[in-house]
Amino acid sequence: MHKRISRLATAGIAAAAVGVMLAGCTPASSNTTEDGKSKVVFWQQKFEDYQQDWFKAQVAEFNKSQDEVEVELLVVPADTWDQKLKAAQAAGKAPDVKTTSYGNVKPMQASGQIADLSELMDADAFDDIAENIAPFVTVDDEVYAYPLLVEPSTVLFYRTDLLAAAGIDAPPTTWDELVDDARTLTTGDVYGMNIGQTAPDLGWSSWGLQYNVAGDFPLRGDWSEASADDPAYEDLAKFYQTLYAEKLMPQEATYPYADCSFFGEGKVAMSACGSWALGQLSANPDWAGVWENTAVAAFPSSDGDPTAPTSTLGGWTLTVDAKSKVQDESAEFVQWLLADDTDRLVDFFTATGFSKYPARVSVTEALAATPEAADNPFLATITEDIVPYAKAEPSYPWDVSLAFATSLEKAMRGGDIPAAMSEAQAAIEDVIKKQKLAGTGSD
Amino acid sequence: MTMSPQSTNRLATAASVALEPETTAPARKRRRGVGRLSTHVMDNRTAYVMIAPMVVLLGIFVWWPLLYSFYLSTFEISFYEEPVFVGLQFYGYVLEDPDFWHSIGIGATYVLYTVPAIMIIAFLVASFIRTVGRKVAGLLKTTVYVPTVVSAVITSVVFVFMYRADGGLINWLIGFVGLGPFAFLSDPELALPAISVPGIWLAFGITTLIMLAGMYDIPQSYYEAAQLEGANFFQRTWFITIPLMKNVLLYLLVTATIAGMQQFELPLIMTQGGPTNSTMTPNLFIFNQFKDPTPYATSFSLTAALILFFVLGGISMLIFRLIRSDKAIDA
């Protein structure tokens, strides 16, 4: 789940959100167009520019390809997405098809918001979904979302030139090494490391590290008991605290975690960021000097085990609304876009600059065979060293992640670590009780 | 402060004098066979007809949504499945949620940081504008009004840049006296005071103009008389300006306090409620709750909003009680 919230980019929120909450925002719509076609409203969350271009081109092509269904695309900024969607649902005007992150599929399924696609699409469309992705979208053998892509949320980006100048010949493989390297690399103008530092960012960017240090998330099993008091998480809090307290990382969250601008601007020598930052870094001509010296590695694990997870596998799917009056037509569009033509998706993944990865086996194979993939220096590292060991995002309510992250942030900014962790424990226990989570966990 | 019995008597007399013609005039027009009671009924009818549109509008746009919200808050609201009736359960959840009370505390602290500053600065500026000539006053009035028309969103963005630890204007300035740099918006101790500054900047202009309007209403002769008696500026302010502007000041105090408690855009854009929830104002807290896709979050944020409504109403009542409001005693 990308919470691509930037302080500056939030500029639009206030006005938009208030308007949305008051008015429910979406114009009145019927399910047929003026010329009698079925109308499918499709909301796409705004991502990097090339994604909007790709979706627009595909929708235009789909609309031209037949005369039964007309898809209407609306690009919605990430910052206003949640409120706008909820307001539309309240007004009974939810989009027929929408982008949905893996983390939201199960909560939405549980509250009956999304339709079972296995009833609506051809059965063989689901056979092609990669084995490690299928569980993200499946509940009791029913598939509630069709996956588009996966992307590891935590990758280590580093500057080969700065590491070489500091006499460091390889990226760190343990947290201790990372902290030591960050100390060496921190000079007057450049911080050694950059990592998420605000609770909303820590909430999701630290999932992989939570898993790494404790072997699981702070809410485990069937979600009956909180585990934030697992002493292992104190090591995680200590790791963040050291980086922050020793000023080895920027002291101000000028950019949110999902935005790799600190690295692009040359203000940090190493940075944790999602794989999507490859697309961001390569696309900015001002950062060409940094981009030439950029390399990626799996984020170090706490003890140096390269097979231990340090990243979650986030990503995006398309879902069909449970109340949509044009479910068949919506599913037809989803199938056409994501499940049929492999070339359509190969084009997409090539456009991403190999910063995102297919969720379908046949697309992965087709992509690997392209000359662009063979030339890409990052693809192998990410697909071989990171993706196979990454974990699924937790599907419990965001409140749990935010409660843990708030404590992590307190610890990071110098708070007492055991006290912060017991605060998280109490907060998560409260969420379990009030949101009746006990026994609803899936593993 | 209460009014003297003398002035109350004077008002009472004035009121009875003013009402006298109204009570006698209809009596003269009274038709034969129509009793005193029916006149009242007629009068009442006219009054009812005149206030009816407002009552209907208030009913549609205020009372019905409010009552319906209370009704909804007794359900776990789902837009997809049958809502589940849970009674007052969510009221309990909100009231025992430490984060909700923490946000109320943040709102109250923000009010403490901003409202006295707004009131004092506005009073001083208005007093000053009152003393200058017409042309200069016009220029000053326009100048102080400018922040009011600047959007809070734009102000937030500008202040974020000004507060930046690397190259922000404020850190550059305090650098000259050997301080800083401070990461204002990333320090839990500094973030709320830092947000208060644009809050004060945005609100003091309109407050100044309202105070100025109140000051212009005070007859100049009072000041002249006081001056003849030898009262200095502070005595004139204390004994004439402030007592005669009591209602204006009270109005400003209540509206500024409520607006402060409801501050939303500044922390949303400048800090997103962080660091460590140190700028999580009540409305931002409710807004964040609202975003989650679960039915729990929907009901919780609705209930929290209703409770906040009572909290704000309570605060307004408290202020009105502490500073007893009377009608203006202005002659």
Side-chain angles (χ1 to χ4, degrees):
Chain A
M1 171 162 38
H2 298 174
K3 298 251 162 186
R4 290 177 191 220
I5 298 172
S6 115
R7 278 183 191 166
L8 303 184
T10 18
I13 286 192
V18 170
V20 165
M21 284 199 281
L22 288 174
C25 196
T26 340
S29 57
S30 68
N31 301 115
T32 45
T33 58
E34 281 172 17
D35 44 5
K37 294 183 192 174
S38 301
K39 189 162 93 178
V40 171
V41 176
F42 169 34
W43 282 15
Q44 184 230 326
Q45 186 158 333
K46 190 173 188 322
F47 302 114
E48 301 91 331
D49 291 339
Y50 62 79
Q51 289 208 46
Q52 277 72 254
D53 296 344
W54 184 79
F55 276 111
K56 252 177 224 163
Q58 301 307 319
V59 166
E61 197 184 322
F62 177 79
N63 287 340
K64 227 189 296 170
S65 73
Q66 38 70 49
D67 49 14
E68 309 260 296
V69 184
E70 175 94 22
V71 175
E72 188 182 285
L73 172 68
L74 182 71
V75 179
V76 179
D79 302 338
T80 58
W81 176 274
D82 292 329
Q83 304 86 276
K84 198 172 161 80
L85 178 65
K86 206 157 192 178
Q89 289 174 335
K93 289 172 187 162
D96 302 299
V97 179
K98 63 177 180 296
T99 46
T100 303
S101 68
Y102 290 117
N104 273 338
V105 171
K106 287 180 184 173
M108 285 185 169
Q109 187 276 333
S111 52
Q113 300 182 30
I114 46 183
D116 175 10
L117 295 180
S118 44
E119 296 273 310
L120 299 167
M121 288 167 63
D122 298 342
D124 54 354
F126 304 106
D127 298 339
D128 200 19
I129 299 174
E131 219 170 280
N132 60 334
I133 313 289
F136 301 179
V137 293
T138 310
V139 182
D140 299 335
D141 296 331
E142 292 166 348
V143 182
Y144 285 87
Y146 202 90
L148 166 63
L149 59 90
V150 286
E151 42 192 356
S153 60
T154 315
V155 173
L156 182 72
F157 289 75
Y158 63 96
R159 287 269 298 273
T160 49
D161 55 336
L162 295 182
L163 263 70
I168 301 166
D169 52 9
T173 55
T174 68
W175 290 1
D176 289 341
E177 264 178 49
L178 186 146
V179 170
D180 281 342
D181 288 354
R183 285 188 188 117
T184 313
L185 291 163
T186 300
T187 59
D189 302 332
V190 178
Y191 289 101
M193 179 65 193
N194 174 51
I195 199 162
Q197 58 169 283
T198 64
D201 274 348
L202 286 167
W204 59 277
S205 69
S206 71
W207 277 331
L209 304 184
Q210 291 168 28
Y211 206 98
N212 177 250
V213 78
D216 211 329
F217 298 115
L219 182 55
R220 305 171 185 169
D222 70 351
W223 298 352
S224 299
E225 279 174 59
S227 315
D229 57 357
D230 184 333
Y233 292 122
E234 294 183 14
D235 296 340
L236 175 67
K238 183 83 193 147
F239 172 63
Y240 278 107
Q241 196 183 55
T242 309
L243 286 171
Y244 191 82
E246 291 190 23
K247 302 194 174 175
L248 306 177
M249 59 181 278
Q251 301 289 293
E252 200 171 29
T254 312
Y255 305 106
Y257 177 83
D259 179 344
C260 212
S261 292
F262 273 131
F263 188 82
E265 290 171 358
K267 290 183 179 145
V268 295
M270 301 186 286
S271 183
C273 203
S275 64
W276 55 84
L278 286 169
Q280 185 195 8
L281 295 169
S282 60
N284 192 324
D286 295 342
W287 298 346
V290 169
W291 176 240
E292 279 167 22
N293 295 301
T294 297
V296 298
F299 195 86
S301 59
S302 59
D303 60 359
D305 176 4
T307 64
T310 52
S311 174
T312 46
L313 224 42
W316 294 91
T317 68
L318 291 185
T319 52
V320 173
D321 194 79
K323 276 188 176 173
S324 166
K325 294 195 177 75
V326 284
Q327 281 191 352
D328 287 324
E329 292 83 350
S330 300
E332 187 189 328
F333 169 66
V334 173
Q335 171 144 352
W336 180 89
L337 184 67
L338 300 184
D340 284 348
D341 189 357
T342 48
D343 287 345
R344 198 184 321 284
L345 291 157
V346 167
D347 290 348
F348 174 78
F349 288 104
T350 309
T352 70
F354 300 96
S355 61
K356 300 170 198 305
Y357 307 90
R360 278 173 57 193
V361 178
S362 60
V363 177
T364 308
E365 286 165 359
L367 193 66
T370 62
E372 290 95 337
D375 291 344
N376 191 285
F378 308 109
L379 191 61
T381 307
I382 295 179
T383 51
E384 287 163 25
D385 298 348
I386 302 173
V387 173
Y389 309 114
K391 287 286 169 187
E393 294 179 345
S395 53
Y396 45 64
W398 173 243
D399 290 332
V400 174
S401 301
L402 190 62
F404 187 78
T406 303
S407 292
L408 209 52
E409 191 192 352
K410 280 183 186 162
M412 185 178 192
R413 296 189 192 278
D416 178 57
I417 292 175
M421 290 300 124
S422 48
E423 220 174 281
Q425 175 75 6
I428 297 174
E429 280 169 355
D430 194 50
V431 176
I432 295 173
K433 192 183 107 200
K434 290 180 181 161
Q435 306 200 26
K436 304 181 187 82
L437 297 184
T440 59
S442 46
D443 49 60
Chain B
M1 267 170 55
T2 50
M3 287 165 76
S4 70
Q6 241 179 335
S7 57
T8 319
N9 285 342
R10 191 156 54 89
L11 274 178
T13 321
S16 59
V17 168
L19 286 173
E20 225 164 356
E22 278 181 41
T23 49
T24 50
R28 255 181 264 133
K29 284 186 197 157
R30 198 188 304 157
R31 277 182 294 161
R32 192 175 292 179
V34 180
R36 186 179 287 269
L37 192 70
S38 357
T39 316
H40 277 287
V41 172
M42 283 299 289
D43 283 353
N44 288 348
R45 248 186 226 159
T46 317
Y48 288 141
V49 168
M50 288 176 79
I51 63 168
M54 191 46 74
V55 170
V56 170
L57 286 176
L58 279 176
I60 294 172
F61 292 107
V62 178
W63 293 110
W64 168 244
L66 201 58
L67 290 173
Y68 191 63
S69 303
F70 279 112
Y71 169 74
L72 278 184
S73 69
T74 58
F75 288 88
E76 191 166 290
I77 304 160
S78 169
F79 305 126
Y80 286 85
E81 291 168 345
E82 277 301 301
V84 183
F85 179 75
V86 292
L88 297 178
Q89 179 183 294
F90 277 96
Y91 288 86
Y93 286 172
V94 175
L95 290 173
E96 67 178 40
D97 188 335
D99 290 336
F100 175 75
W101 292 110
H102 176 75
S103 75
I104 300 274
I106 296 291
T109 314
Y110 176 81
V111 165
L112 280 180
Y113 288 157
T114 54
V115 174
I118 292 169
M119 298 288 285
I120 292 168
I121 295 173
F123 190 83
L124 293 177
V125 174
S127 302
F128 176 70
I129 295 177
R130 193 175 187 274
T131 60
V132 298
R134 182 177 288 241
K135 271 191 184 162
V136 183
L139 181 72
L140 287 176
K141 277 190 266 183
T142 315
T143 312
V144 297
Y145 190 68
V146 167
T148 311
V149 290
V150 177
S151 131
V153 174
I154 292 170
T155 308
S156 310
V157 174
V158 170
F159 271 82
V160 165
F161 277 110
M162 284 167 52
Y163 278 131
R164 273 174 73 155
D166 58 332
L169 179 72
I170 293 168
N171 273 304
W172 180 72
L173 285 174
I174 59 178
F176 285 114
V177 289
L179 291 173
F182 295 106
F184 289 102
L185 299 176
S186 295
D187 185 331
E189 303 285 319
L190 295 178
L192 193 62
I195 283 181
S196 303
V197 174
I200 294 167
W201 186 79
L202 281 168
F204 94 94
I206 185 74
T207 313
T208 303
L209 292 190
I210 294 172
M211 281 196 189
L212 193 60
M215 283 181 189
Y216 280 145
D217 263 359
I218 302 171
Q220 192 62 30
S221 56
Y222 290 11
Y223 291 101
E224 285 160 6
Q227 231 160 347
L228 285 175
E229 299 286 335
N232 64 25
F233 173 78
F234 294 103
Q235 286 168 323
R236 294 198 300 271
T237 303
W238 188 252
F239 292 107
I240 301 175
T241 316
I242 292 179
L244 289 177
M245 279 179 61
K246 210 178 80 181
N247 287 322
V248 172
L249 295 178
L250 183 66
Y251 163 78
L252 289 173
L253 184 67
V254 173
T255 49
T257 303
I258 300 304
M261 283 298 289
Q262 292 192 305
Q263 183 51 263
F264 171 69
E265 294 112 313
L266 295 176
L268 173 74
I269 294 158
M270 294 178 73
T271 58
Q272 296 163 42
T276 63
N277 287 343
S278 62
T279 56
M280 189 64 77
T281 56
N283 273 357
L284 184 55
F285 171 75
I286 293 168
F287 176 76
N288 281 342
Q289 291 288 329
F290 179 74
K291 283 159 52 167
D292 255 26
T294 60
Y296 173 87
T298 313
S299 301
F300 185 92
S301 52
L302 172 68
T303 311
L306 289 170
I307 293 180
L308 182 65
F309 166 81
F310 283 116
V311 170
L312 295 181
I315 292 174
S316 313
M317 294 229 308
L318 193 72
I319 297 175
F320 277 119
R321 268 193 85 87
L322 287 178
I323 308 167
R324 282 174 197 281
S325 165
D326 294 310
K327 273 184 74 75
I329 49 171
D330 199 5

